[in-house]
Amino acid sequence: MSDAGLPIGVFDSGMGGLTVLRALQVVLPHESFIYLGDSARLPYGNKSAVTVQQYALQASAALVDRGIKALVVACNTASAAALPLLAQRYAPLPVFGVIEPGAQAAANAAGDGSVLVLATEGTVMDGTYQRQLLAVNAGLTIYARACPLWVTLAEQGYAEDSQEAGTVAEAVLAHALRGFQNRPMVVLLGCTHFPIFRDKLAALLGDAAAIVDSAQTTALQVAAAIQPTGAAKADRVGSVMFLATDGVERFRRVGSYFLGEPIDAVELVTL
Ligand code: DGL
């Protein structure tokens, strides 16, 4: 098979990256995807950079071994810790992360204002978002706060309309906003698990702050790179294969909520 017919590999520590896959499917409806959730080792967000690099290399190897034409690191924590490493290891395979597209989207929305990055501890400590935002606009004021509880909540399947999600989202956001004189103009969801709480967060933040995530900008960047002349004139609809390193039945059930459509089957893999 020529490279053009191969699927695009996508991975995350768990189900959060399905929010990116969803955006990819919208802009690339004719492409096929293999999605890997490393559910056995989630969360990545509280692990050291060295451990996340090792996990990211193993997840990528599993996808590359199956034959892919591009790799999307649909995890901010892994993008922060391992993107240059993965790009170097698998060159000339195109490798995309979610941080640079997310920073671009947030900087565009913020003008010369302020951006609050909500992410995992690993992503906040790494500082890649802060650097990328300043690279787009050095005049931005940037704050970053870790919200690891949201990852747990999302993976446990607490939908944003649940009472638990409401209570935790409110408490975490209040903590994240502590010390601000004025609301930040842009709240950047710097973890792929967070977009499922977007409506809840929007209701809590009110009109004063725009909420941005990296799913759509990442998808557009991938599309522009792999189909530089516009949508492929394929007459087929792409397929998706799902892999997880643990809890395949949970992944199928809860993952459907992240993806916005039913997931029929999930294959158990060992990395
Ligand atoms: N979804 C991942 C991210 O975007 C991390 C969640 C975790 O494993 O801590 O950072």
Side-chain angles (χ1 to χ4, degrees):
M1 191 192 297
S2 79
D3 272 12
L6 292 175
I8 297 169
V10 182
F11 82 87
D12 178 39
S13 60
M15 303 180 208
L18 293 169
T19 59
V20 179
L21 176 62
R22 189 174 176 165
L24 284 162
Q25 288 181 297
V26 170
V27 296
L28 294 166
H30 303 298
E31 297 290 347
S32 292
F33 298 91
I34 310 182
Y35 181 94
L36 169 61
D38 191 7
S39 36
R41 303 190 293 195
L42 173 129
Y44 282 9
N46 62 3
K47 308 282 191 310
S48 69
V50 172
T51 297
V52 175
Q53 284 168 2
Q54 185 196 334
Y55 290 175
L57 281 167
Q58 290 169 342
S60 304
L63 292 168
V64 169
D65 285 352
R66 286 177 183 245
I68 54 174
K69 66 177 173 188
L71 176 66
V72 180
V73 184
C75 173
N76 291 268
T77 312
S79 296
L83 192 66
L85 188 68
L86 297 174
Q88 189 186 32
R89 172 71 58 98
Y90 291 110
L93 182 79
V95 180
F96 303 90
V98 285
I99 292 193
E100 192 263 322
Q104 189 69 54
N108 290 347
D112 281 333
S114 54
V115 177
L116 169 61
V117 182
L118 301 179
T120 65
E121 189 181 333
T123 303
V124 168
M125 298 301 286
D126 173 83
T128 304
Y129 258 121
Q130 294 91 319
R131 288 190 292 279
Q132 294 276 356
L133 282 161
L134 290 174
V136 182
N137 181 353
L140 283 170
T141 305
I142 300 160
Y143 308 90
R145 302 272 198 273
C147 308
L149 268 182
W150 284 346
V151 176
T152 312
L153 201 62
E155 284 282 330
Q156 293 308 315
Y158 286 105
E160 70 175 341
D161 55 359
S162 69
Q163 201 190 338
E164 292 85 348
T167 308
V168 175
E170 201 163 343
V172 172
L173 192 63
H175 180 74
L177 291 171
R178 214 164 47 191
F180 282 96
Q181 300 287 8
N182 301 305
R183 288 271 159 110
M185 297 171 66
V186 170
V187 171
L188 171 54
L189 304 181
C191 172
T192 54
H193 282 77
F194 297 175
I196 68 160
F197 301 124
R198 177 186 276 265
D199 290 349
K200 172 66 65 190
L201 297 174
L204 292 168
L205 281 163
D207 291 340
I211 300 180
V212 170
D213 68 58
S214 50
Q216 203 202 1
T217 34
T218 300
L220 291 172
Q221 197 178 87
V222 174
I226 69 164
Q227 294 180 349
T229 52
K233 296 192 180 32
D235 52 6
R236 66 187 180 95
V237 175
S239 62
V240 193
M241 175 189 283
F242 296 95
L243 315 174
T245 53
D246 196 15
V248 288
E249 171 47 30
R250 276 196 78 255
F251 190 99
R252 197 189 58 72
R253 188 166 28 88
V254 180
S256 305
Y257 180 70
F258 282 81
L259 191 63
E261 61 183 63
I263 293 175
D264 292 332
V266 182
E267 183 184 331
L268 183 65
V269 293
T270 305
L271 301 183

